[in-house]
Amino acid sequence: MSDLHIALVGTPNCGKSSLFNMLTGSRQKVANYPGVTVERRSGHYQTSTGRQVHLVDLPGIYSLKDRTLDERITRQVVTGAHPHEPRPDILLCVADSTNLRVHLRLVLELRALGLPLILALNMADLAERDGIRIDLDRLSRELGVPVISTVAVRQSGMTGLKKLLDRDLHDLTRKQAPAGEGIRKEQHLSTRDLQKMARKLANRILIAEGHQHRITRQLDQVILHPVVGPFVLFGLLFVMFQAVFSWAEAPMAWIDGSIVWLQDRLVAFLPESWFLSLLNDGILAGVGSVIVFLPQILILFTFILIMEATGYMARAAFLMDRLMAKVGLNGRAFIPLISSFACAIPGVMATRTIENARDRMTTIMIAPLMTCSARLPVYTLIIAAFIPNKTVWGGMGLQGLVMFGLYLSGVVSALIVAAVMKMTLTKGVAQPFLMELPKYQLPRLKNLLIDLMERARIFLRRAGTIILSTTIILWGLASYPKAPKDATDPEIYYSFAGMLGKILQHIFAPLGFNWEITVALIPGMAAREVAVAALGTVYSLSGDEDKVADSLVNVLQGSWPLPTALAFLAWYVFAPQCLSTIAVVRRETNSWRWTGFMVAYLFALAYLAAWAVNSIARAVIG
């Protein structure tokens, strides 16, 4: 018998690599394909009849459409076009038994190539657990290829598979349908048509789809409905932002009261000195102004984590695909963008899942426009100070409504910028969206609490490191040099921070920003929420004793006109980007030119938006 060359093909996470390991054991090599970073895994084993079987484990793909590097290499290998890989004698396609409706599409594409094909339905144990029953004989007849059930991680089905591979090649392919007219047509079908064929085939061969999968399918008929689905999504987001305000009100008051109590105790026990000023005006006024927003951040993350754990987040990406397509992107860009609601850094890093380079660059450029959690303290402070806490339009909270509008402004701005970029700098052919939707499941309370504790730890660590150090530096700049004896203005007015603020005030005066605001904008570059801490420190050092004892919300109400507050919100919809985000964008794009472009256009948008809001508000309000 001659040696046999087999290529393993399948979607990501279908158990293909586990099956490869079971067949080859330790007789395998791992290297990259020449000239690219795609991993090539190959191995061999000897059958009971002494036949040498060579296997190559191809990259996980969803189709052979040549959209990604993985798909291109796989297509080259299975069609015999790869310069360093022989055309395989047999294709061993591995599919997930629990999600056949998606995986059969790739099987149909592979069958259309006309090569001998064996289909291994892997994860048969999980399918049995979920109550899924498949008519293997009918599937084999419908496809015209041998079908075998496997559980790669437990070696179940391996003996039968090896026997199948040990048969004579002509005997193996004798019953396989030739690449006739019907099959050749499959080579030219669109992804959507192939998916329809796969779905119809799955309906015919599924004896029972399982209770949980039936519930998932029924829920998807509502949640993924082209009309009802978007209403459900935006309704959920609206409730989330309402909850951020209403649910956090009591715990925020407790934290704020604790900080004031601590400041009072320090005043009672320590003499008037620079040390007391550092503790009260610098650390507690600065760091405390940020920590008070911890409940709102945890509520926001609770909603995001529940959407991820239940499987709804992937549905949201699917729903957004049509909207994203209108600006030249697809639903795959939605996951990095919604991740940016938590923080722009993981959002930018998540763009690695976007295969198309132009789409990925566009998504990186607009990811910082998503309202990250660091903006939340800024928005909350200004809204609490200037937007009345009342209900409108049948019980909706006005403050939550404004918060929702700010988040929506970031999303709309991102879509507009993406559309402009796709028509100019990153112009290219739109890519179709392929994504495997997980089944719905209830989130585990333990995992949810662990994730929330981790988010709280990250937030408090930032408060204890970046924000603490920044507020101490700012306190020093705002406290020295001391004011002259005959000074009539607050002491901070004569300090280094005051001098810097008065210089920068000329640049930001058209936006309605005073020198105190311009001082707060500078440390806000380190992290956006530091701007709140900076405002707390600056106003704590610039007011009289009664003013210092008051909360920052009340201080801002008495110091800023409404147009300035609205312009400040508009500024933070677009800028500034924190230094960490800029560094990650530089690393992910490997380009100072793109990084500079992002920083420049965001600052330009921020300045124009703040100027427009301030001008319009002054014209209307006076």
Side-chain angles (χ1 to χ4, degrees):
M1 280 187 172
S2 59
D3 290 358
L4 195 64
H5 291 270
I6 299 175
L8 271 75
V9 192
T11 61
N13 305 316
C14 67
K16 178 169 57 66
S17 295
S18 299
L19 193 144
F20 174 80
N21 292 334
M22 288 297 176
L23 287 173
T24 61
S26 60
R27 299 171 295 278
Q28 54 180 269
K29 292 188 299 184
V30 179
N32 281 347
Y33 284 94
V36 296
T37 56
V38 177
E39 189 177 84
R40 177 188 185 276
R41 300 179 73 215
S42 61
H44 65 91
Y45 74 94
Q46 190 174 42
T47 67
S48 58
T49 58
R51 189 182 206 178
Q52 281 292 331
V53 178
H54 302 274
L55 295 104
V56 58
D57 183 12
L58 294 173
I61 56 170
Y62 285 103
S63 78
L64 295 173
K65 296 299 183 184
D66 205 16
R67 295 186 310 267
T68 67
L69 188 56
D70 288 351
E71 290 180 359
R72 188 177 309 137
I73 287 176
T74 300
R75 185 175 183 82
Q76 287 176 344
V77 172
V78 299
T79 58
H82 196 279
H84 304 285
E85 199 78 64
R87 185 174 190 180
D89 300 309
I90 296 175
L91 298 179
L92 175 54
C93 180
V94 185
D96 182 355
S97 301
T98 65
N99 200 2
L100 271 185
R101 284 189 172 86
V102 172
H103 291 236
L104 282 177
R105 182 186 58 235
L106 178 60
V107 178
L108 292 173
E109 280 191 88
L110 294 172
R111 189 183 69 155
L113 296 174
L115 277 176
L117 175 67
I118 296 173
L119 175 59
L121 292 185
N122 200 29
M123 304 184 186
D125 56 336
L126 298 182
E128 183 179 356
R129 181 202 63 187
D130 294 343
I132 299 172
R133 293 171 57 205
I134 302 169
D135 188 339
L136 297 183
D137 293 334
R138 180 167 185 178
L139 178 59
S140 178
R141 288 197 306 273
E142 294 254 2
L143 290 173
V145 303
V147 178
I148 191 165
S149 176
T150 62
V151 182
V153 294
R154 297 179 185 172
Q155 298 196 31
S156 175
M158 290 298 108
T159 303
L161 180 59
K162 286 183 176 179
K163 284 183 180 177
L164 194 59
L165 295 174
D166 199 22
R167 291 162 60 181
D168 182 79
L169 186 59
H170 296 293
D171 182 45
L172 182 66
T173 58
R174 185 165 49 88
K175 295 182 179 179
Q176 182 163 333
E181 185 66 24
I183 293 179
R184 284 199 295 271
K185 281 183 178 178
E186 294 171 8
Q187 298 179 3
H188 307 291
L189 290 177
S190 67
T191 301
R192 192 178 296 274
D193 291 334
L194 278 171
Q195 185 58 52
K196 287 181 180 177
M197 281 186 65
R199 196 177 295 118
K200 289 179 180 177
L201 177 58
N203 290 339
R204 292 196 295 273
I205 57 93
L206 277 174
I207 301 171
E209 63 176 330
H211 178 67
Q212 199 166 3
H213 285 264
R214 185 172 63 255
I215 292 175
T216 294
R217 181 172 56 78
Q218 291 169 344
L219 283 175
D220 279 345
Q221 289 176 354
V222 178
I223 289 176
L224 297 182
H225 190 275
V227 177
V228 179
F231 277 101
V232 173
L233 173 60
F234 284 102
L236 182 62
L237 294 177
F238 182 78
V239 170
M240 180 173 75
F241 294 120
Q242 290 287 320
V244 163
F245 261 96
S246 58
W247 296 359
E249 194 172 341
M252 286 179 70
W254 298 337
I255 296 175
D256 195 36
S258 300
I259 293 170
V260 172
W261 178 85
L262 194 56
Q263 287 176 315
D264 291 341
R265 297 287 76 73
L266 289 175
V267 170
F269 290 105
L270 292 178
E272 187 71 30
S273 64
W274 67 268
F275 185 62
L276 177 62
S277 175
L278 171 63
L279 293 178
N280 264 357
D281 302 329
I283 296 174
L284 287 178
V287 177
S289 300
V290 177
I291 289 179
V292 74
F293 298 104
L294 178 61
Q296 291 184 320
I297 288 174
L298 292 181
I299 290 171
L300 178 67
F301 274 110
T302 299
F303 275 89
I304 291 177
L305 291 172
I306 289 176
M307 285 197 290
E308 287 179 347
T310 55
Y312 183 76
M313 192 68 85
R315 269 81 181 176
F318 179 83
L319 288 169
M320 293 299 291
D321 181 54
R322 290 188 179 183
L323 179 60
M324 303 298 286
K326 294 184 185 302
V327 299
L329 297 174
N330 62 40
R332 192 168 291 280
F334 184 68
I335 298 294
L337 293 181
I338 204 163
S339 298
S340 299
F341 278 136
C343 177
I345 292 174
V348 170
M349 294 175 67
T351 60
R352 294 175 184 177
T353 60
I354 301 175
E355 301 90 352
N356 185 275
R358 289 188 176 88
D359 287 359
R360 180 169 183 253
M361 188 60 72
T362 305
T363 308
I364 290 175
M365 291 297 107
I366 65 173
L369 284 170
M370 298 295 108
T371 302
C372 68
S373 58
R375 285 182 172 118
L376 192 58
V378 179
Y379 288 174
T380 305
L381 173 68
I382 305 303
I383 290 173
F386 293 94
I387 306 300
N389 184 15
K390 64 180 184 180
T391 56
V392 294
W393 299 339
M396 290 186 291
L398 181 59
Q399 292 183 333
L401 199 61
V402 173
M403 178 70 82
F404 180 71
L406 289 169
Y407 273 73
L408 193 61
S409 299
V411 174
V412 172
S413 302
L415 294 177
I416 293 173
V417 172
V420 173
M421 288 188 66
K422 291 298 291 183
M423 288 188 290
T424 54
L425 298 176
T426 56
K427 189 176 181 180
V429 179
Q431 301 295 311
F433 176 48
L434 290 175
M435 187 175 187
E436 194 169 340
L437 297 178
K439 61 186 178 184
Y440 292 105
Q441 56 186 352
L442 292 174
R444 295 191 175 189
L445 181 60
K446 181 181 178 182
N447 294 342
L448 180 63
L449 292 176
I450 290 174
D451 286 340
L452 284 176
M453 288 176 63
E454 178 63 15
R455 301 293 180 181
R457 188 186 65 80
I458 292 172
F459 179 77
L460 293 175
R461 188 177 63 185
R462 285 167 67 90
T465 53
I466 298 175
I467 297 173
L468 176 62
S469 57
T470 305
T471 52
I472 290 175
I473 293 172
L474 186 61
W475 173 85
L477 292 174
S479 300
Y480 300 97
K482 294 293 185 183
K485 292 182 179 179
D486 56 345
T488 56
D489 292 309
E491 193 168 306
I492 191 175
Y493 194 77
Y494 303 93
S495 67
F496 292 119
M499 297 176 198
L500 184 61
K502 283 179 282 187
I503 295 172
L504 294 177
Q505 187 182 7
H506 298 292
I507 300 174
F508 292 96
L511 314 185
F513 292 179
N514 56 28
W515 68 268
E516 291 96 337
I517 298 176
T518 57
V519 169
L521 293 181
I522 298 171
M525 281 291 294
R528 292 183 180 92
E529 62 269 45
V530 176
V532 174
L535 286 173
T537 300
V538 169
Y539 278 103
S540 180
L541 289 168
S542 61
D544 55 28
E545 292 184 358
D546 292 336
K547 203 173 183 180
V548 171
D550 212 345
S551 71
L552 185 57
V553 169
N554 294 333
V555 172
L556 295 185
Q557 284 176 339
S559 304
W560 294 7
L562 181 58
T564 295
L566 297 177
F568 193 72
L569 286 176
W571 172 269
Y572 268 95
V573 169
F574 300 100
Q577 298 310 300
C578 66
L579 295 177
S580 302
T581 300
I582 295 172
V584 170
V585 169
R586 166 66 183 84
R587 189 186 67 191
E588 294 297 314
T589 61
N590 195 28
S591 167
W592 281 113
R593 187 169 64 87
W594 278 110
T595 307
F597 168 77
M598 184 197 74
V599 174
Y601 100 77
L602 287 173
F603 268 96
L605 283 180
Y607 195 93
L608 288 173
W611 173 80
V613 168
N614 180 59
S615 302
I616 294 171
R618 287 186 183 280
V620 174
I621 301 172

